[in-house]
Amino acid sequence: MDVPETEFAPWNDADEKPLIRFRNVTKRFGEFVAIDDLSLDIYEQEFFALLGPSGCGKTTMMRMLAGFENPSEGDIELAGQNIVPVPPNKRAVNMMFQSYALFPHLSVWDNIAFGLRRDRLPKAQVQARVEEMLKLTRLERFATRKPHQISGGQRQRVALARSLAKAPKLLLLDEPLGALDKKLRQETQFELMDIQEKTGTTFVIVTHDQEEAMTVASRVAVMDEGRLIQVSTPADLYEWPDNVYVADFIGDVNLIKGRTTASGDERYRIDWIDGQPPLNGVSKTVFSDGQTCHLAIRPEKITISTDKPVDADNAVQGKVLDIAYLGNLSTYHVELASGTVIKAQTSNTRRISRRSFTWEDPVWLSWTATAGVMLAQ
Amino acid sequence: MRKFALIAVPYLWLLALFLVPFLIVLKISLSDIALAIPPYVPKWDWATGFGAFFSQLDFENYIFLTEDDLYWKAYLSSFKIAAISTMFTLLIGYPIAYGMARSPEEWRPTLMMLIILPFWTSFLIRVYAWMGILSQEGLLNQFLLWTGIIAAPLTILNTNTAVYIGIVYTYLPFMILPIYAALDRMDGSLIEAAEDLGCSRLMAFWLVTIPLSKNGIIAGSFLVFIPALGEFVIPSLLGGSGTLMIGKVLWEEFFSNRDWPVASAVAVILLLLLIIPIVLFQRNQQKQAEAEQ
Amino acid sequence: MIRLSWFNVVSLTLGFAFLYIPMVILVIYSFNKSKLVTVWGGFSTKWYGELMQNEAFLDAAWVTLKVAVISSSIATVLGTMAALVLVRAGRFSGRMLFSGMIYAPLVMPEVITGLSLLLLFIGLGLDRGVLTIVLAHTTFSMCYVSVVVSSRLVTFDWSLEEAALDLGCSKTEAFRLVTLPIIAPAVIAGWLLAFTLSLDDLVIASFTSGPSATTLPIKIFSAVRLGVSPEINALSTIMITIVAVGVITASLVSKRQLVRQKREEQAAFRAQ
């Protein structure tokens, strides 16, 4: 998530034409509104992730792109053309299904060739393209096997090869790694990114796994109840969430609710619990005096110490309630006198025996004014 | 358009060859008998339409059914025979299904095949097979005389007993399969848990196995009871002149007495009687399907 | 958990004995020299010879086979269509009636089905013969086919058909190239079921056949009504043998396929 995204950012370029454009799309199933007046641009060569809990509408978005559902209102454009009236078999869009949907009665080779044959391509051309796809996904050895004769990871690669074979303008991936175990999933994530880069195809991936979205995507759209909550690069999503929902959904966070008072240029004082000193924060968005504000601070941005830190913007005292040891990291749950629990995370650069805090120890937590994000809602 | 054709073809076929014929039965059951071909006077006439139809509509065939005690005796007797044979099928089928579910895993497909195999063989032949066994000089009597259990041959063929045997024999697979399916799904550790909690083997069977196979028992019982109720072949081959079953009565009314209106009325009432067990069966199946989701 | 107690052994043995002894006796007595079916008079195959000379039986067998092949083939097409409608078509007006008409013939007593169809054919002025039997058999066996096929379609992964559309198939192509090959075993099973039901049927055929066409079950029924006959035993033996060979072969083949598929899946899993 720290990969620099500086070179590739067509969404910041006003002249760039998007490949896909959702224009005020609404999709209803009976009474249920799956997609609610949604507009979104996706650019060529992007690896775009739709992230959200199940039922948030992300799968409906994907199925509308593939052509299996039509919007109730609004248009969807692909390369400047409205594709709503185009049936799925005539769209330059291919999909990799969550279940892979490999044809069980056909070999790996025939599965990959299936789409090419529908285009009535000459035999030699089909042959060449299938070989190319097999090579790309390292499946040459398995060409004659049937889907049930290969492993889960290999099936996933066949599904990918099959959907890429027709060189679509847009590839849709529906929870592509959901069926794989954790280790294989991580390897495959990098493989996917590699293939995306090699082929230069625009990928749109649907996932409920935030780590997966953050790892593979150039931009992530966080969705909930048929609406876009935030569309940003993974780093921005983590560091600059727009609202409490995103801050809470992505990674671990401390959310402190208080009231703001302006205390200087873009600086604010936050009164939060009686008896605790007010907190200091920075925000580019303007807060009026007395406005409710949620201060979101990531646990790793909080320092834990035995002595009261000098010159810290914010410092609070409490005692260690719980320690979650994760190997590389430890998360301390610190309870303040008011009963509020704040999480702080440290890297375990030293061995356990030499660590300084244990249960019930009185400790100080401190962070800078710029460490947190002030959110109005 | 494609979807329309897909629906229309089987729909029209069933309308023409299932629903319409049944409406004709209903209509003829309300007609008068006549010595002609077809041997009835239709009450429905397109020329006179509905008004005339309802004005002359008479239920005399149905009234006839209630007056002649042959019919209601036949209905009652069919019910009794179907119920008793269903009970026997359950008593014989359950231990077999249980034994199959408890047998080593590698035997089960073979045992399953052996249960299904008779189903593929001709029903008529399976009923016929018992004629040679149950007759006065038949093999069963020969065997019993030889062992000395009986002194004189028993009369079994052409009695209700033979009908029971025939129904149990031919419908046994319908009872075994659903019960086996229910028992096979059952988690074996449930019995162990019951025994661990202090049940004896028998109590565990009564308190755990039986309730869990209840749906299979109900499904199997209906699958035997419903077709047994309208059975024709078994009572006419194995039963005697005293065996009254409604399917047989209908057949004779139609082919021997050539009284089509009465035969149709018998059919309509048989169907009405069947609706109750069929609805109960459907409900059980639905409940089971919902429980599985 | 797998312990075959004496109780289970006894109930299985007695149960299968009950199911099979009558048929075994039938087969044994078909080789009886004596005309008296209950007295063993020595081994002979003469009844098979007489059966082969019996023109009436051979004619009836030919009619039966013809009816079974034609009716089960039409029933398979109609039943598969009906199954697709039941599982896929969603809501349409008259759906309740449609599914009612599919399920009702399964529980309808044969005497009623037969009677009602006969009355229809008479009403239409249709001469009773092969055609009327075929129409009758198609109607009730298509319902069995649709039950068999729809139980397969319920577990069918529809994303396979979507994948075919996505890769450029028209709807018809997707059905022909993907759905049909995958559900083929169920369609074949449906055909076999329809075929056997048609071969087996006595009651409906009795109502719908005319003097021009008599089926084998009708012939057998009128013969056995008069009592047990060794010729019928011989005929039964032939029919039982055909069915047994068919069913046993089919189950062996499918078992071997299953074992192979399992082994390959395990191999693929280990290789991963």
Side-chain angles (χ1 to χ4, degrees):
Chain A
M1 56 197 87
D2 295 317
V3 182
E5 301 279 353
T6 43
E7 299 92 351
F8 181 70
W11 49 88
N12 289 330
D13 184 349
D15 296 333
E16 192 76 37
K17 283 237 161 51
L19 178 69
I20 301 158
R21 176 158 256 181
F22 282 85
R23 280 179 196 266
N24 303 92
V25 171
T26 297
K27 175 69 187 174
R28 280 183 225 97
F29 294 102
E31 292 286 292
F32 177 71
V33 181
I35 300 293
D36 190 0
D37 191 24
L38 182 149
S39 298
L40 174 67
D41 291 346
I42 299 172
Y43 295 86
E44 210 158 310
Q45 299 198 13
E46 261 204 273
F47 199 138
F48 193 90
L50 291 165
L51 174 66
S54 59
C56 69
K58 57 187 194 296
T59 305
T60 308
M61 294 272 285
M62 168 156 292
R63 292 176 61 81
M64 287 195 292
L65 281 173
F68 299 127
E69 308 285 355
N70 274 328
S72 313
E73 280 158 35
D75 284 339
I76 302 171
E77 286 172 9
L78 178 72
Q81 276 186 321
N82 183 14
I83 54 167
V84 171
V86 182
N89 50 337
K90 302 272 191 283
R91 292 190 186 190
V93 175
N94 283 122
M95 176 153 170
M96 186 184 149
F97 288 80
Q98 183 172 11
S99 63
Y100 305 148
L102 297 181
F103 304 131
H105 58 300
L106 300 179
S107 67
V108 167
W109 208 98
D110 289 324
N111 261 286
I112 298 174
F114 191 91
L116 300 169
R117 287 183 176 149
R118 300 286 80 70
D119 288 348
R120 310 267 182 272
L121 290 183
K123 255 196 179 137
Q125 216 171 320
V126 172
Q127 171 104 18
R129 184 66 181 161
V130 173
E131 302 293 337
E132 189 187 340
M133 284 297 120
L134 285 168
K135 203 168 159 215
L136 180 73
T137 48
R138 297 179 289 112
L139 284 166
E140 295 102 321
R141 285 196 302 131
F142 306 103
T144 57
R145 300 247 187 122
K146 290 273 179 72
H148 72 267
Q149 293 168 314
I150 55 177
S151 72
Q154 288 156 357
R155 272 179 228 172
Q156 190 267 348
R157 297 212 300 273
V158 178
L160 183 65
R162 186 179 71 178
S163 50
L164 276 174
K166 294 182 84 171
K169 281 191 188 144
L170 171 66
L171 182 71
L172 306 169
L173 304 102
D174 187 5
E175 303 271 4
L177 311 174
L180 306 180
D181 61 57
K182 195 170 180 206
K183 217 166 172 139
L184 194 57
R185 196 154 61 209
Q186 283 169 349
E187 287 172 27
T188 315
Q189 282 169 5
F190 290 104
E191 210 171 79
L192 266 186
M193 292 160 73
D194 204 40
I195 288 175
Q196 194 260 341
E197 215 162 295
K198 266 191 205 154
T199 58
T201 314
T202 310
F203 278 30
V204 172
I205 181 175
V206 154
T207 180
H208 67 275
D209 179 346
Q210 45 147 315
E211 250 180 77
E212 185 170 298
M214 304 281 273
T215 311
V216 299
S218 56
R219 278 195 308 161
V220 178
V222 179
M223 289 187 68
D224 192 38
E225 294 180 346
R227 278 190 295 264
L228 292 175
I229 307 293
Q230 185 172 355
V231 184
S232 297
T233 62
D236 281 355
L237 215 52
Y238 188 79
E239 300 294 345
W240 302 106
D242 279 350
N243 49 43
V244 174
Y245 181 88
V246 174
D248 200 28
F249 188 72
I250 308 283
D252 209 357
V253 76
N254 293 298
L255 286 165
I256 297 169
K257 195 174 167 186
R259 283 177 190 288
T260 53
T261 317
S263 63
D265 186 26
E266 294 185 350
R267 293 183 77 89
Y268 295 91
R269 204 181 72 217
I270 304 160
D271 295 300
W272 54 304
I273 296 171
D274 293 337
Q276 291 280 357
L279 303 175
N280 292 302
V282 173
S283 176
K284 283 198 164 49
T285 25
V286 179
F287 284 85
S288 53
D289 286 358
Q291 190 182 344
T292 307
C293 140
H294 302 266
L295 183 64
I297 318 153
R298 303 284 178 194
E300 73 274 8
K301 305 231 162 45
I302 297 180
T303 316
I304 183 165
S305 57
T306 333
D307 303 318
K308 180 169 182 172
V310 221
D311 291 340
D313 290 332
N314 298 294
V316 290
Q317 199 182 15
K319 65 172 198 279
V320 178
L321 190 67
D322 243 325
I323 306 171
Y325 175 69
L326 304 170
N328 53 343
L329 301 170
S330 285
T331 306
Y332 296 88
H333 293 231
V334 175
E335 191 180 23
L336 309 186
S338 60
T340 313
V341 176
I342 291 182
K343 286 171 276 186
Q345 208 167 51
T346 57
S347 298
N348 292 326
T349 45
R350 288 188 271 173
R351 290 206 179 253
I352 294 185
S353 54
R354 292 172 54 200
R355 286 219 321 273
S356 17
F357 321 106
T358 183
W359 289 272
E360 299 295 321
D361 277 356
V363 289
W364 282 91
L365 299 175
S366 58
W367 63 91
T368 62
T370 52
V373 184
M374 291 172 61
L375 302 168
Q377 49 171 341
Chain B
M1 190 53 221
R2 219 178 66 109
K3 185 178 160 183
F4 177 76
L6 187 67
I7 296 176
V9 174
Y11 207 132
L12 290 177
W13 183 287
L14 285 170
L15 276 183
L17 286 151
F18 179 74
L19 198 65
V20 169
F22 187 69
L23 294 178
I24 295 177
V25 171
L26 202 61
K27 179 195 136 193
I28 292 177
S29 76
L30 300 169
S31 307
D32 286 330
I33 184 165
L35 287 171
I37 292 189
Y40 64 91
V41 174
K43 283 272 152 127
W44 174 258
D45 189 351
W46 288 109
T48 51
F50 279 103
F53 176 62
F54 282 111
S55 67
Q56 351 167 350
L57 190 69
D58 65 283
F59 290 90
E60 88 190 30
N61 294 308
Y62 292 92
I63 294 164
F64 176 62
L65 293 191
T66 59
E67 280 166 353
D68 191 333
D69 61 0
L70 167 75
Y71 299 102
W72 63 262
K73 270 190 184 152
Y75 284 121
L76 267 186
S77 155
S78 305
F79 230 84
K80 194 188 88 188
I81 290 174
I84 292 177
S85 354
T86 304
M87 198 187 66
F88 277 117
T89 317
L90 175 62
L91 288 180
I92 294 170
Y94 198 98
I96 300 175
Y98 185 81
M100 282 170 68
R102 291 284 164 280
S103 65
E105 196 126 5
E106 63 269 23
W107 292 16
R108 288 185 209 170
T110 312
L111 293 177
M112 266 294 261
M113 190 204 73
L114 286 174
I115 292 291
I116 296 170
L117 184 64
F119 173 79
W120 290 97
T121 37
S122 165
F123 184 84
L124 193 55
I125 288 174
R126 279 183 292 150
V127 177
Y128 166 69
W130 282 96
M131 291 176 71
I133 297 172
L134 297 177
S135 68
Q136 199 95 40
E137 331 62 75
L139 288 166
L140 184 64
N141 271 324
Q142 286 179 25
F143 177 76
L144 292 177
L145 285 169
W146 174 75
T147 54
I149 296 173
I150 53 168
L154 300 171
T155 311
I156 309 174
L157 190 63
N158 303 331
T159 66
N160 282 1
T161 315
V163 176
Y164 294 142
I165 294 175
I167 295 179
V168 171
Y169 180 69
T170 44
Y171 290 110
L172 195 57
F174 290 107
M175 182 64 86
I176 293 176
L177 291 175
I179 297 179
Y180 169 73
L183 289 173
D184 191 42
R185 264 203 305 269
M186 199 176 100
D187 183 357
S189 60
L190 291 174
I191 298 292
E192 287 169 356
E195 286 179 19
D196 181 65
L197 294 168
C199 277
S200 68
R201 185 83 65 83
L202 213 62
M203 260 167 70
F205 176 76
W206 182 249
L207 294 174
V208 179
T209 312
I210 293 276
L212 284 175
S213 54
K214 196 183 81 194
N215 279 330
I217 294 174
I218 296 174
S221 300
F222 279 123
L223 285 177
V224 175
F225 182 81
I226 293 170
L229 200 58
E231 188 50 60
F232 163 73
V233 176
I234 296 173
S236 63
L237 287 184
L238 301 180
S241 49
T243 307
L244 269 180
M245 283 194 84
I246 203 68
K248 206 174 126 192
V249 170
L250 193 157
W251 180 286
E252 276 157 11
E253 241 7 288
F254 191 86
F255 285 110
S256 310
N257 300 347
R258 296 189 55 77
D259 190 340
W260 292 13
V262 167
S264 302
V266 170
V268 170
I269 294 196
L270 173 56
L271 205 66
L272 289 178
L273 287 180
L274 270 173
I275 285 176
I276 303 161
I278 289 171
V279 167
L280 288 175
F281 174 67
Q282 279 288 339
R283 244 211 240 136
N284 179 59
Q285 295 296 96
Q286 221 156 40
K287 230 167 48 189
Q288 201 179 337
E290 276 163 21
E292 272 164 21
Q293 276 172 2
Chain C
M1 205 42 230
I2 290 171
R3 50 179 177 217
L4 210 56
S5 67
W6 65 267
F7 177 80
N8 290 338
V9 172
V10 168
S11 60
L12 281 180
T13 315
L14 287 181
F16 283 101
F18 176 63
L19 276 177
Y20 282 92
I21 283 180
M23 284 199 260
V24 171
I25 291 174
L26 194 72
V27 171
I28 291 172
Y29 275 85
S30 73
F31 296 104
N32 191 1
K33 202 174 213 159
S34 165
K35 172 94 186 160
L36 288 169
V37 202
T38 46
V39 183
W40 183 253
F43 181 85
S44 156
T45 54
K46 71 171 177 183
W47 302 114
Y48 289 88
E50 289 202 6
L51 187 67
M52 289 307 141
Q53 313 268 299
N54 192 330
E55 292 274 337
F57 269 120
L58 292 180
D59 283 348
W62 174 235
V63 170
T64 311
L65 210 61
K66 215 159 50 180
V67 167
V69 169
I70 301 172
S71 72
S72 58
S73 304
I74 306 174
T76 304
V77 175
L78 289 172
T80 306
M81 289 172 83
L84 284 166
V85 172
L86 282 180
V87 179
R88 296 226 55 195
R91 285 155 178 268
F92 59 92
S93 55
R95 195 198 155 93
M96 274 286 280
L97 178 64
F98 186 77
S99 64
M101 287 194 300
I102 291 290
Y103 289 111
L106 305 182
V107 289
M108 183 80 99
E110 289 164 321
V111 278
I112 299 183
T113 312
L115 174 70
S116 65
L117 280 165
L118 170 58
L119 296 178
L120 173 79
F121 294 145
I122 289 174
L124 291 176
L126 223 57
D127 268 347
R128 281 174 288 156
V130 172
L131 172 69
T132 48
I133 313 177
V134 166
L135 287 176
H137 281 185
T138 306
T139 306
F140 83 95
S141 53
M142 74 172 269
C143 301
Y144 285 87
V145 174
S146 81
V147 168
V148 172
V149 175
S150 64
S151 73
R152 172 65 187 89
L153 286 176
V154 165
T155 59
F156 185 79
D157 179 6
W158 293 108
S159 60
L160 288 169
E161 211 170 73
E162 285 184 347
L165 293 179
D166 186 67
L167 293 166
C169 280
S170 68
K171 281 196 168 161
T172 319
E173 273 181 319
F175 181 77
R176 188 168 55 82
L177 294 172
V178 174
T179 313
L180 194 58
I182 296 172
I183 64 166
V187 175
I188 293 169
W191 186 88
L192 279 173
L193 183 61
F195 183 76
T196 344
L197 285 169
S198 171
L199 279 189
D200 212 15
D201 169 64
L202 163 71
V203 177
I204 294 172
S206 297
F207 278 98
T208 52
S209 69
S212 66
T214 308
T215 66
L216 202 51
I218 297 176
K219 264 265 164 314
I220 296 176
F221 183 69
S222 55
V224 301
R225 253 192 153 170
L226 308 171
V228 180
S229 99
E231 243 178 313
I232 298 291
N233 277 12
L235 179 62
S236 307
T237 304
I238 295 172
M239 289 168 73
I240 291 174
T241 313
I242 294 172
V243 169
V245 168
V247 172
I248 292 171
T249 322
S251 74
L252 283 181
V253 168
S254 77
K255 191 181 164 189
R256 197 180 301 152
Q257 262 172 358
L258 210 71
V259 168
R260 203 180 60 199
Q261 175 151 353
K262 231 182 205 160
R263 213 174 33 225
E264 285 169 351
E265 268 165 17
Q266 277 164 357
F269 185 73
R270 272 198 305 273
Q272 134 170 339

